[in-house]
Amino acid sequence: MTQEMFHATTTFPLTDPMRLIRRLCKHWAHKITTEYSDSEGSVDFGDQKTAKLYANEGTLTIKISTPTKSDLETIQDVVERHVVRMIPEEEITKIKWELSL
């Protein structure tokens, strides 16, 4: 029996998405497991709560998966606060999440 997971995805424009992925992964690496390569990153918040980050030409896509809706809202908030804090001020945008099961 597989557990139902909750998902949220956002994509928004960013001049250097890979720079943000590296910064986020390095920032969180002191407390949780993170990995990144030349075009993507992953963050394991524990207890089946994950964020995958993908750098595309001029955009960043973030996909979050969690076992509960409450966890999803918490991780979305954590990721969003860190993204807004770490991107250049002139590139701050409203992050709109698409939710799915």
Side-chain angles (χ1 to χ4, degrees):
M1 182 173 164
T2 15
Q3 179 176 348
E4 194 172 291
M5 296 290 284
F6 293 82
H7 307 279
T9 304
T10 187
T11 299
F12 55 90
L14 197 59
T15 303
D16 190 355
M18 201 52 232
R19 180 174 185 264
L20 180 60
I21 291 173
R22 282 190 304 274
R23 287 187 74 195
L24 288 169
C25 287
K26 286 179 180 181
H27 173 75
W28 283 319
H30 69 282
K31 287 190 174 183
I32 55 179
T33 303
T34 66
E35 294 179 11
Y36 63 92
S37 67
D38 290 340
S39 61
E40 62 186 55
S42 68
V43 182
D44 183 349
F45 290 96
D47 298 325
Q48 298 182 309
K49 297 177 285 223
T50 62
K52 304 286 185 187
L53 303 95
Y54 303 96
N56 301 299
E57 189 65 36
T59 64
L60 175 69
T61 298
I62 304 170
K63 297 181 179 183
I64 297 172
S65 298
T66 64
T68 69
K69 187 173 181 188
S70 174
D71 286 339
L72 184 66
E73 291 167 356
T74 299
I75 299 301
Q76 279 177 264
D77 182 59
V78 168
V79 170
E80 192 167 327
R81 282 186 289 114
H82 282 81
V83 165
V84 169
R85 192 171 24 188
M86 291 186 180
I87 63 176
E89 187 174 320
E90 65 275 6
E91 293 197 71
I92 292 176
T93 185
K94 175 71 176 143
I95 297 175
K96 296 177 184 157
W97 296 97
E98 251 182 60
L99 305 178
S100 63
L101 282 178

